[in-house]
Amino acid sequence: MFDTAEIYGPHTNEELVGEALAPVREAVVIATKFWRAGSRGAIRSSVEGSLRRLRTERIDLLYAHRLDPRYSVEDVAGTVSELVDEGKVGAFGLSEVGATTIRRAHAVLPLAAVQNEYSLWARESEGTVFDTLEELGIGFVPWSPLGQGFLTGTVRPGDRFSDGDVRAWFPRFTKAAREANAPLVDAIARVAERVDATSAQVALAWVLARRPWIVPIPGTRRLERLEENLAAADLRLDSATVAELTAVVDRIRVHGPRGTGNERYS
């Protein structure tokens, strides 16, 4: 499964994904997201643009990237339902939403997946969101399961971010916040050493162990990191190790908001 969105670039990431996957289109699942879920016409226009850039006749999994409060999620789901009927969309998903919104959308068009941020340091979806997904049979696709790279141990308190790196303005990535959150990274590193894996693999394996219907989507720019992340699927943490990591996060108060502007799901 390859996950992209019209806002990435904007548009250029869909173009790259479309070009790269065209020769193997039938062997992959393509997921993309339309940005602000608004009017019927706006959603349709976004989808037509994505289909063109992705060089495909059908988007396998289409998410509403963010919901526009001026429009009801029921209307958004209704528009996507039309696109499913027309064969342009295979399945419907929502991003950055809570249990109430999930139920409202699902009543109009069954959801295949919800994509919220989730990792060892972003656990807001635990509780009502997870309970709702389990009840309704909806998959969960955590974005940023490596905490924008912080959980891999490659981002240290004294590091400076390059121009264009969005972490430079995330509250969770100030020098003070990185120093305060370092004990979490250290705990992951200790487990990684014990199980002969990397910190990134341990962080991903923890996410995978939380529920059987979780499919994380780590991003990377380098082939060796892609291979490292893929190997996490073969790392099985025992229940004691999963509980150990969870207990560490329970003890450590993570400093700094996530930075998305939507820390509470509704």
Side-chain angles (χ1 to χ4, degrees):
M1 181 175 71
F2 290 80
D3 181 277
T4 184
E6 68 171 348
I7 197 65
Y8 300 162
H11 301 156
T12 52
N13 194 261
E14 284 186 329
E15 292 170 352
L16 289 168
V17 169
E19 179 182 358
L21 299 184
V24 293
R25 177 64 185 93
E26 298 307 312
V28 298
V29 172
I30 295 178
T32 194
K33 303 176 279 291
F34 56 93
W35 177 231
R36 282 290 178 186
S39 68
R40 179 174 178 273
I43 294 171
R44 282 185 161 275
S45 177
S46 290
V47 168
E48 291 297 339
S50 292
L51 288 168
R52 184 177 62 256
R53 289 185 292 272
L54 291 167
R55 304 187 187 187
T56 186
E57 295 180 354
R58 188 181 85 153
I59 296 166
D60 298 313
L61 174 56
L62 177 70
Y63 293 95
H65 206 158
R66 296 292 186 274
L67 294 172
D68 187 327
R70 295 175 298 175
Y71 300 88
S72 74
V73 71
E74 289 86 355
D75 287 344
V76 172
T79 299
V80 176
S81 180
E82 295 173 1
L83 293 164
V84 171
D85 291 341
E86 294 166 15
K88 295 179 179 180
V89 171
F92 178 39
L94 294 176
S95 179
E96 290 291 281
V97 291
T100 300
T101 302
I102 291 168
R103 289 186 182 280
R104 288 171 55 195
H106 192 76
V108 177
L109 176 64
L111 289 165
V114 165
Q115 185 176 137
N116 289 355
E117 183 176 4
Y118 183 67
S119 67
L120 273 160
W121 78 345
R123 296 171 57 196
E124 292 87 350
S125 289
E126 293 179 359
T128 57
V129 170
F130 273 16
D131 291 345
T132 302
L133 298 179
E134 185 130 45
E135 175 193 339
L136 300 178
I138 301 169
F140 186 63
V141 181
W143 64 269
S144 196
L146 296 175
Q148 290 93 28
F150 186 77
L151 302 178
T152 68
T154 59
V155 181
R156 305 309 296 178
D159 291 347
R160 295 180 63 87
F161 296 113
S162 61
D163 293 342
D165 192 324
V166 296
R167 293 175 296 183
W169 49 267
F170 276 17
R172 195 164 285 186
F173 281 90
T174 64
K175 186 174 184 295
R178 281 180 276 165
E179 289 175 347
N181 295 327
L184 174 57
V185 177
D186 295 339
I188 296 170
R190 288 194 294 270
V191 170
E193 183 176 6
R194 193 171 73 225
V195 301
D196 192 25
T198 67
S199 292
Q201 289 167 345
V202 167
L204 288 171
W206 179 88
V207 168
L208 287 165
R210 298 298 283 169
R211 297 291 191 280
W213 31 263
I214 289 180
V215 181
I217 48 170
T220 183
R221 299 178 182 179
R222 296 161 55 187
L223 179 59
E224 61 266 31
R225 293 302 186 199
L226 173 62
E227 293 169 342
E228 176 186 347
N229 292 342
L230 288 171
D234 298 321
L235 177 61
R236 297 290 187 269
L237 300 179
D238 60 37
S239 57
T241 303
V242 172
E244 174 188 345
L245 286 168
T246 306
V248 169
V249 184
D250 289 340
R251 290 195 304 270
I252 298 172
R253 184 177 69 84
V254 177
H255 288 250
R258 291 193 292 116
T260 65
N262 181 17
E263 272 63 62
R264 291 190 176 182
Y265 299 124
S266 61

